[in-house]
Amino acid sequence: MRLLLQVADVAPPYVLAAHSLGGAYARRFLQLFPDEVAGVVYLDSFAHEEWDIHHTDERLRLKPQPVPGALMVRLITLLSRGLYRKMFAAWPGELRDALIARHLTVDAQRAGALERSNQHQWGEELKGAGPVPGKPAVVLTAPGIDAALRLTMPKRLLQEMTEGKIRMHQAMAASVAHSEHRILAGAKHSTIGTDCPDEVVQAIFDLWRRVR
């Protein structure tokens, strides 16, 4: 990520906007290059080193996730078509079509599955590297449930996961000065950026004005 910013000639300090698993990358970036980060907008992100503290049910603990086989990855790719078309419906046609085409490749779906498979190791890596430097943040929570999770998890467990995520996000914001937690009632995890685009952009601008 740092190399991409350098190649793009984007000078620090940065306001990072991290969605989902990207929260781990942003927090590791903070550990490695604290002077280059002005603040972070967490878009329903995970603080992997804190997840298990706020989720007491063993079924919700971070653990290795098996990577689906080739047939399952192809099925997931096929079933995802409607989700991506809906997600990017309002985007300019040329950009929308390119994004959808990329997401609907077996390679892209397999890469995502591989990335998710070792989340438990990220938490250990973050813990082992010491405290995450405190930088002003806006922590956004999407309380809505993705359709795929509704099909694979009991309703009560989904509720516990959401409650634990809210506690984690509240703690993330409370741990750093000049930070805040916002719940975006109309957003689901995977589509927070397209469910509530105005609120996400507002959070980024609010934080930027605060830290510049």
Side-chain angles (χ1 to χ4, degrees):
M1 181 167 65
R2 187 176 187 237
L3 179 59
L4 288 174
L5 289 166
Q6 291 173 341
V7 169
D9 198 25
V10 180
Y14 309 116
V15 169
L16 304 178
H19 172 242
S20 189
L21 307 183
Y25 300 144
R27 294 171 78 76
R28 185 67 180 128
F29 193 99
L30 270 168
Q31 289 177 327
L32 293 170
F33 313 109
D35 294 337
E36 297 184 13
V37 180
V40 184
V41 177
Y42 292 103
L43 283 73
D44 214 46
S45 301
F46 304 151
H48 285 74
E49 78 281 15
E50 301 289 340
W51 178 271
D52 286 349
I53 296 173
H54 300 283
H55 295 82
T56 56
D57 192 306
E58 183 62 32
R59 293 171 293 177
L60 294 173
R61 299 295 180 109
L62 292 181
K63 55 182 70 70
Q65 297 184 26
V67 178
L71 180 60
M72 182 58 69
V73 172
R74 291 183 183 278
L75 180 59
I76 293 170
T77 302
L78 179 64
L79 295 176
S80 299
R81 190 178 304 275
L83 169 65
Y84 292 123
R85 285 179 174 170
K86 181 180 179 181
M87 185 186 305
F88 299 119
W91 288 46
E94 184 176 350
L95 181 58
R96 178 186 64 238
D97 294 343
L99 281 169
I100 293 174
R102 175 56 186 163
H103 280 297
L104 293 178
T105 64
V106 171
D107 286 346
Q109 293 295 329
R110 182 180 290 113
L114 285 168
E115 187 178 26
R116 294 187 293 271
S117 67
N118 64 344
Q119 294 183 56
H120 64 295
Q121 295 178 352
W122 302 354
E124 295 304 315
E125 182 177 351
L126 286 164
K127 287 179 184 177
V132 175
K135 296 289 182 175
V138 178
V139 186
L140 303 178
T141 298
I145 304 299
D146 290 356
L149 289 182
R150 291 187 183 277
L151 296 175
T152 58
M153 295 176 64
K155 184 177 180 180
R156 177 56 192 164
L157 192 62
L158 287 171
Q159 182 179 344
E160 290 183 17
M161 182 180 69
T162 300
E163 292 171 353
K165 181 173 65 174
I166 290 172
R167 289 193 297 270
M168 179 182 66
H169 288 168
Q170 290 173 333
M172 290 168 64
S175 67
V176 181
H178 310 297
S179 300
E180 60 178 305
H181 173 227
R182 302 177 184 178
I183 297 178
L184 305 186
K188 296 182 178 66
H189 172 74
S190 293
T191 52
I192 183 173
T194 51
D195 290 337
C196 298
D198 294 340
E199 290 86 344
V200 169
V201 171
Q202 187 65 55
I204 294 170
F205 275 107
D206 288 348
L207 184 59
W208 175 246
R209 284 193 291 266
R210 191 178 305 161
V211 301
R212 66 180 180 179

